[in-house]
Amino acid sequence: MATLNFSTVLATDASGTLYRIDVKTNNLSLALMSAPTPIWTGWTHDKLVYDGHGHLYGTAGGVLLQYLVSQPKPAGSQHIGQRREIGTGFVLKALTSTGDDRLLANTTDGRLLEYRIDDTGNWTGKQLVASGWSGFGKLVSPGGGLYYGVTSAGGMYWYEDLDPDDGSGSDIVYHNDDPVDVSGWTQTLLSAEPETAECVGRQYAYVLPRSAVPRSELDDPHHDYAAIDIQDPIGTPVYAVTRGTVAHIDGGFGNGIALTDANGVTYIYGHLDSRAVAAGTTVTPGQYLGESGNTGQSTGPHLHFEIRIGGVKHCPQLLLLALYDGTTPPAPSSLPTSGCSY
């Protein structure tokens, strides 16, 4: 199974038919938009991942293959093609993509490996960790140096690669004492959309999928006070900007969330269509909070986002722009209080 975007996945059946599956995202429970759409036959790959930039990767008998996906919702074989054999010897236990032509895998003897493929189809591999990763039957990554592993017992554990570009696993932070869950993740297949989370400085993450709205949307004038409205479609995933405790707020915010960190800084998410985390929950940067919407005092679909310190609003624009760009964000206390219009 490979995730193309937050509402579309590709999957194969036992006979080797590749299907496009459209998922209802405007709902707390998963449901299909329609019956799966058959794309092509002969897909006998044992693993399938998408890199978020038009390339679908699969392994079959130790051969790594690359395909070009030309549409966000492919309707047939004309939208998935240009088959390219990357190399042999890819005998892997689990495979995921961390971004543009970048793959992450583990092996039965416990190695954690990274692969990068260039424009001509040549690949380079790095061993990030020499041992200790054999217990994971599934690996997923939303990008930003965040890695998730699922054990045979259904436990999900998370890890932070502080510099995912350095080709080394020496700076991977292990959170084995703080798992996502020790059991319950018993799905046959598991996948994530690449580059939908940021792990900047181990403290912050961007609040939306980076593909949801262009960067210019963050530069637009918004309120004449220190808050920002990001116009995005109803059902767009919304993520925790930092580690903190969730509270539910309503009133003019509709289905609102207030996320307060250990320093007392509160991040407000307004007008959500749905909330996926309970009040009192402690969340981590990049964790899914719910879906944007048009509830409360709202004149159209958007995410209202603001920062409050001691009751004073601070404009979040510079912080959001830094997170979008993958650079170190400014401290919330340094952000202006006069407004968010340039």
Side-chain angles (χ1 to χ4, degrees):
M1 182 171 72
T3 301
L4 295 187
N5 50 65
F6 63 86
S7 64
T8 310
V9 298
L10 296 176
T12 58
D13 64 12
S15 68
T17 301
L18 179 69
Y19 291 90
R20 187 193 84 224
I21 303 170
D22 297 320
V23 181
K24 285 184 180 180
T25 58
N26 191 18
N27 198 315
L28 287 178
S29 61
L30 292 177
L32 298 182
M33 291 289 292
S34 58
T37 302
I39 301 295
W40 209 355
T41 58
W43 286 72
T44 55
H45 305 69
D46 48 66
K47 296 173 181 65
L48 205 62
V49 296
Y50 182 64
D51 75 343
H53 290 265
H55 282 149
L56 182 67
Y57 288 93
T59 56
V63 178
L64 179 64
L65 301 164
Q66 180 195 71
Y67 304 88
L68 178 64
V69 181
S70 60
Q71 296 292 328
K73 290 187 179 295
S77 59
Q78 71 273 22
H79 297 150
I80 301 179
Q82 297 188 21
R83 180 183 184 274
R84 172 188 278 172
E85 183 175 314
I86 301 300
T88 60
F90 289 82
V91 181
L92 309 170
K93 186 170 185 180
L95 180 68
T96 188
S97 176
T98 59
D100 190 3
D101 291 324
R102 296 175 59 165
L103 305 175
L104 184 77
N106 68 333
T107 62
T108 55
D109 61 4
R111 290 172 292 148
L112 182 67
L113 307 172
E114 177 192 72
Y115 300 103
R116 303 186 187 188
I117 298 91
D118 66 20
D119 292 340
T120 63
N122 293 317
W123 65 275
T124 57
K126 295 286 183 65
Q127 177 177 281
L128 300 183
V129 183
S131 62
W133 286 73
S134 61
F136 297 122
K138 305 179 187 71
L139 290 175
V140 295
S141 174
L146 292 170
Y147 308 148
Y148 295 84
V150 180
T151 67
S152 59
M156 177 179 279
Y157 295 81
W158 66 291
Y159 306 88
E160 296 173 275
D161 191 336
L162 300 186
D163 186 355
D165 296 319
D166 64 2
S168 170
S170 62
D171 57 349
I172 294 177
V173 179
Y174 287 66
H175 293 274
N176 292 333
D177 59 345
D178 181 27
V180 176
D181 209 330
V182 296
S183 63
W185 291 83
T186 56
Q187 295 88 345
T188 302
L189 298 173
L190 201 62
S191 180
E193 183 182 358
E195 297 186 345
T196 53
E198 293 286 348
C199 190
V200 178
R202 296 181 55 198
Q203 188 174 1
Y204 294 102
Y206 186 52
V207 297
L208 296 169
R210 289 179 63 186
S211 59
V213 296
R215 186 185 188 279
S216 59
E217 174 65 19
L218 304 178
D219 278 329
D220 290 344
H222 297 274
H223 296 287
D224 57 359
Y225 60 92
I228 188 171
D229 287 341
I230 306 173
Q231 298 183 51
D232 57 354
I234 293 175
T236 302
V238 174
Y239 306 119
V241 69
T242 192
R243 182 181 180 89
T245 303
V246 168
H248 287 179
I249 56 176
D250 299 292
F253 290 122
N255 294 325
I257 283 178
L259 177 63
T260 303
D261 70 13
N263 297 316
V265 180
T266 297
Y267 303 85
I268 303 292
Y269 297 76
H271 314 301
L272 301 183
D273 190 73
S274 61
R275 294 178 286 211
V277 288
T281 301
T282 298
V283 296
T284 55
Q287 186 169 332
Y288 175 69
L289 297 180
E291 297 176 350
S292 64
N294 189 29
T295 61
Q297 296 177 8
S298 173
T299 59
H302 73 282
L303 173 67
H304 174 98
F305 187 74
E306 63 180 68
I307 298 173
R308 297 182 185 180
I309 303 175
V312 177
K313 295 183 177 70
H314 290 252
C315 175
Q317 275 182 298
L318 293 177
L319 179 140
L320 291 175
L321 286 166
L323 295 176
Y324 186 96
D325 293 337
T327 60
T328 302
S333 59
S334 71
L335 298 172
T337 59
S338 58
C340 276
S341 297
Y342 288 161

